[in-house]
Amino acid sequence: MVNMQTEKYLVWEPGENGHLLVYCRRLVDYAIEQGLDLSVALSRDALGSEAYQRHFDSDDSQARAISISGQRNLLSLLRREGITTLIVPHADPLLHYLLFISFKKIKMNLLVMQDPQWEARTAQTALLRGLRLRLKQLFIMLLGRRPSVTLRKLGPPTSTSVKVVPDPVLISELDTTISIADLHLGVETFWFGIVGGISPHKNPMLVATALRVLAASTSRRIGLAFIGPISAELAGLESDARDLLAETSVEFISRDRILSNSEMNAVISQLDCVVMAYSTHAPNSTAWKAACIGTRFVAAGSSQYQLFAQLTERGIVVDLELASLVDAMNRALQSPPPEILPMPDDRFASRLLAP
């Protein structure tokens, strides 16, 4: 009799970023749907975090979570659990580690979230940053030559490449009926908002400045909402934004809190326009969420980021500079909500868990 080894999957995520835990939760749910044997290895900090409570510690989660302390315990964990496939949904910071170790008889499915090719197209990259990007490209090339490694890159849902994994857009029919009780978004006010984790690359003060300029040229009641956890790098953001908008008619609210995926969808549905003024080049799910919910959005950023946002065929897409942002937000103020975009299929989980 042939002894067929049962496939056992392990998702490894050393960080505690809420968006990455959404990735892990989606992989868990898909594995349950498909009857796969899957566990998730998370750090002790992640297991004790509010983000974990939001995304995993609920009655409907059947995740088997394993605590792991750093990279040094990964090999022993893989052997002890009899893992046949390791999935790393955010491989970027771990490429060098994964390159210089050998997992015998273990397949690796790796997701590169920030393709260095996008960054490499930008002009005048600093010397050190350019060196890091070249090293990353080298690590990706060398890992890609291994028969046991499958490398995929984050990209838009419209891509036809089997090497591309779209950021998952997970929207339940019930999400848009959820009431976020403490938002108090007045119906007579047109609300612009920044949602999700608020960090410097989302340029919140640039958005606030654009609203200040826009308020001087419109009679409409407008508001600005920051809804999501504010990074430590932006200490004082709420008071700075209030001060900037103090002498204008712009209403301002801020909710510094972690959102579950359903709450994120609910917030997007309750805003009039989501503003994404991003100093990044990677695709993300926010524009697609807005398009699938039927909420206006403004996307300002690099030419590569604009390309991803344009693929939704929704929203207003402009350069990342003040005048363009003000014009785009004014156009959003005058426009009706867009038609709802059909939900993309779930290639995120199916491709990362492909045998």
Side-chain angles (χ1 to χ4, degrees), residues 92-232:
D92 305 57
L94 302 165
L95 292 171
H96 63 290
Y97 170 73
L98 296 168
L99 179 63
F100 291 111
I101 62 173
S102 176
F103 298 128
K104 292 182 180 179
K105 299 181 181 179
I106 296 177
K107 293 171 286 188
M108 288 196 292
N109 293 349
L110 311 179
L111 175 60
V112 175
M113 289 183 62
Q114 294 178 309
D115 186 344
Q117 293 182 15
W118 305 332
E119 299 279 356
R121 293 175 189 169
T122 62
Q124 305 298 322
T125 50
L127 179 62
L128 184 58
R129 182 173 178 79
L131 177 61
R132 285 199 300 267
L133 289 171
R134 294 190 193 289
L135 281 173
K136 186 174 181 179
Q137 286 175 315
L138 177 62
F139 294 156
I140 290 171
M141 180 187 71
L142 294 174
L143 277 166
R145 290 178 177 176
R146 292 186 180 178
S148 61
V149 174
T150 300
L151 270 166
R152 289 189 168 88
K153 299 174 182 179
L154 198 66
T158 51
S159 174
T160 57
S161 171
V162 295
K163 295 295 185 182
V164 169
V165 171
D167 208 328
V169 177
L170 310 172
I171 303 172
S172 161
E173 291 181 6
L174 300 176
D175 291 351
T176 55
T177 66
I178 295 173
S179 174
I180 309 299
D182 66 345
L183 289 188
H184 305 299
L185 299 181
V187 294
E188 295 181 359
T189 300
F190 188 100
W191 285 97
F192 295 91
I194 301 175
V195 298
I198 301 177
S199 60
H201 83 258
K202 290 191 176 181
N203 296 291
M205 287 304 292
L206 175 64
V207 175
T209 302
L211 260 293
R212 178 186 173 93
V213 174
L214 180 59
S217 61
T218 182
S219 59
R220 294 280 301 275
R221 291 178 60 175
I222 57 177
L224 174 62
F226 293 162
I227 307 174
I230 298 173
S231 74

Side-chain angles (χ1 to χ4, degrees), residues 292-308:
C292 292
I293 290 171
T295 298
R296 305 168 190 83
F297 72 83
V298 168
S302 68
S303 58
Q304 195 69 5
Y305 175 68
Q306 290 182 46
L307 172 62
F308 294 125

Side-chain angles (χ1 to χ4, degrees), residues 2 18 25 32 34 47 56 60 63 126 132-133 135 149 156 200 303 309 321 325 355:
V2 178
R25 176 61 192 269
I32 292 170
Q34 301 299 314
L47 287 170
F56 277 95
D60 63 339
R132 285 199 300 267
L133 289 171
L135 281 173
V149 174
S303 58
E321 53 93 21
L325 190 57

